[in-house]
């Protein structure tokens, strides 16, 4: 009876402000995967190991000319040049490291070719308190060193778990910052805290005038802990979020959703395929915990069957997940399947490269995987 609750648990749920607040209905367009994670994919692919010897490579930022900056969670920024990982770090960042925190996401400024600026999401100890913040750095002309510029946005609540960290520039030139609820579920519904949100900022760290919540950095609310999102078009994002891991007496049910400006993903009110007025119900969720890492829409030509699909690096269940959305109903999943099942361990960053291939990082050295002598690697996926 895995779904039964004891009397004491029911009393707790009734009293908890961060738990479900009403009897929600089940959305018909939501797919709940109750057994395993999905069928094995049949599209033939080839895997190249681009780089190895990394320690929890969390984010990749491609630069004009083909170089890439790679963050390692312990606090190093590395340079990938001509397919070779350079031995010396570009910079070492002072971090606060516990659990899922540290040096996380990275993004290059849209005008990097002229200003050489890039941004990182990092956990720090500031004035005796641990917080996340977005910093701006400047890369040297030869791309081998970097200098700190300034903090553009700080005071993001941090925690050992549910720490967020993915940052990406959108097609509108704004910086989008995924944050976690910092182990306080009600943060996600509170528009006055940046925790549990997708934030939207100008490159200077200011709040754009056309944000959905006037004067607030929040672009989406009701987020538990996102590490992956990408744009279907200028108005629509595919968005992944981690389901609960015991908080509010619920587990599993990580989410893939279709979202737009000002949406509320429902955490901690809704769960699984539940629906409620004013909330977005996921398009795909799994009963068992996945959970999802980075996410990217496949835009290359090398694997034409994947064109337009959402590819998600999956951590706990150790695979690459492909999601195909319906052409008739853009919020509905038409097909989903599993690749690389247990072949490369935990997969985290998932991003398209300038060469039209998909790149994926492993996360086996984060204390939750099997960290071998070659440590973590960067994979290129092609036909």
């Amino acid at each position: 009876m895995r779904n039964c609750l004891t009397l004491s648990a029911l009393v707790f749920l009734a009293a908890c402000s961060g738990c479900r607040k009403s009897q929600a209905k089940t959305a018909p367009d939501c797919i709940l995967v109750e057994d395993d994670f999905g069928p094995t994919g049949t599209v033939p692919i080839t895997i190249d190991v681009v780089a190895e010897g990394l320690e929890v490579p969390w984010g990749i930022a491609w630069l004009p000319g083909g170089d890439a900056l790679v963050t390692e969670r312990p606090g190093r920024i590395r340079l990938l040049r001509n397919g070779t990982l350079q031995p010396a770090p570009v910079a070492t960042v002072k971090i606060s490291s516990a659990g899922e925190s540290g040096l996380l996401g990275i993004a290059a400024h849209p005008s990097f070719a002229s200003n050489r600026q890039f941004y990182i999401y990092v956990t720090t100890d500031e004035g005796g308190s641990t917080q996340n913040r977005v910093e701006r750095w400047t890369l040297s002309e030869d791309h081998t060193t970097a200098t700190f510029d300034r903090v553009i946005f700080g005071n993001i609540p941090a925690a050992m778990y549910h720490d967020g960290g993915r940052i990406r520039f959108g097609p509108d030139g704004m910086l989008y910052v995924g944050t976690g609820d910092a182990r306080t579920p009600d943060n996600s519904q509170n528009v006055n805290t940046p925790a549990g949100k997708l934030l939207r900022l100008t490159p200077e760290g200011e709040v754009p005038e056309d944000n959905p919540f006037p004067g607030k950095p929040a672009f989406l609310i009701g987020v538990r802990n996102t590490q992956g999102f990408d744009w279907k078009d200028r108005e629509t994002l595919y968005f992944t979020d981690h389901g609960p891991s015991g908080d509010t007496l619920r587990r599993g049910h990580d989410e893939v959703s279709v979202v737009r400006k000002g949406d509320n993903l429902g955490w901690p009110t809704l769960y699984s395929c539940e629906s409620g007025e004013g909330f977005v119900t996921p398009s795909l969720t799994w009963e068992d915990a996945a959970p999802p890492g980075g996410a990217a829409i496949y835009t290359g030509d090398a694997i034409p069957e994947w064109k337009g699909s959402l590819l998600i690096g999956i951590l706990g269940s150790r695979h690459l997940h492909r999601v195909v959305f319906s052409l008739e109903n853009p919020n509905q999943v038409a097909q989903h399947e599993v690749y690389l099942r247990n072949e490369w361990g935990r997969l985290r960053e998932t991003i398209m490269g300038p060469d039209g291939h998909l790149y994926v990082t492993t996360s086996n050295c984060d204390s939750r995987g099997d960290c071998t002598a070659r440590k973590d690697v960067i994979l290129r996926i092609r036909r």
Side-chain angles (χ1 to χ4, degrees), residues 16-89:
C16 175
S17 63
C19 302
R20 66 184 79 198
K21 297 173 176 61
S22 63
Q23 185 63 43
K25 298 179 180 179
T26 299
D29 290 341
C30 175
I31 294 177
L32 170 62
V33 182
E34 297 180 333
D35 184 27
D36 196 29
F37 293 93
T40 299
T42 59
V43 176
I45 58 175
T46 299
I47 309 300
D48 301 319
V49 177
V50 174
E52 58 182 46
L54 290 151
E55 189 174 0
V56 196
W58 216 96
I60 297 175
W62 293 102
L63 310 177
D67 282 356
L69 296 178
V70 182
T71 57
E72 293 182 284
R73 197 165 71 183
R76 294 178 295 273
I77 302 173
R78 306 292 297 276
L79 176 65
L80 188 67
R81 169 165 286 172
N82 298 324
T84 301
L85 185 69
Q86 303 304 295

Side-chain angles (χ1 to χ4, degrees), residues 3-203:
N3 292 324
C4 287
L5 294 174
T6 64
L7 178 59
S8 60
L10 289 170
V11 171
F12 173 82
L13 281 169
C16 175
S17 63
C19 302
R20 66 184 79 198
K21 297 173 176 61
S22 63
Q23 185 63 43
K25 298 179 180 179
T26 299
D29 290 341
C30 175
I31 294 177
L32 170 62
V33 182
E34 297 180 333
D35 184 27
D36 196 29
F37 293 93
T40 299
T42 59
V43 176
I45 58 175
T46 299
I47 309 300
D48 301 319
V49 177
V50 174
E52 58 182 46
L54 290 151
E55 189 174 0
V56 196
W58 216 96
I60 297 175
W62 293 102
L63 310 177
D67 282 356
L69 296 178
V70 182
T71 57
E72 293 182 284
R73 197 165 71 183
R76 294 178 295 273
I77 302 173
R78 306 292 297 276
L79 176 65
L80 188 67
R81 169 165 286 172
N82 298 324
T84 301
L85 185 69
Q86 303 304 295
V90 169
T92 300
V93 181
K94 187 177 180 180
I95 65 166
S96 174
S97 178
E100 298 171 354
S101 63
L103 176 57
L104 306 178
I106 186 168
H109 193 291
S111 299
F112 178 90
S114 59
N115 62 28
R116 301 196 310 279
Q117 292 177 345
F118 66 93
Y119 300 74
I120 59 174
Y121 183 107
V122 60
T123 315
T124 65
D125 286 318
E126 188 72 23
S129 64
T130 303
Q131 61 175 254
N132 293 309
R133 65 191 194 187
V134 180
E135 298 178 354
R136 187 167 68 193
W137 288 62
T138 303
L139 196 63
S140 62
E141 286 192 38
D142 64 2
H143 293 184
T144 60
T145 61
T147 54
F148 171 78
D149 178 15
R150 67 181 183 88
V151 177
I152 70 153
F153 192 86
N155 296 313
I156 303 171
M160 188 172 183
Y161 306 112
H162 318 177
D163 210 40
R166 188 68 60 205
I167 61 175
R168 298 189 69 172
F169 275 94
D172 56 2
M174 298 298 170
L175 181 62
Y176 290 75
V177 180
T179 70
D181 69 7
R183 305 185 77 179
T184 303
D186 284 346
N187 276 342
S188 299
Q189 294 295 326
N190 181 358
V191 76
N192 293 312
T193 172
K197 310 286 187 301
L198 181 64
L199 310 178
R200 179 175 181 260
L201 306 169
T202 72

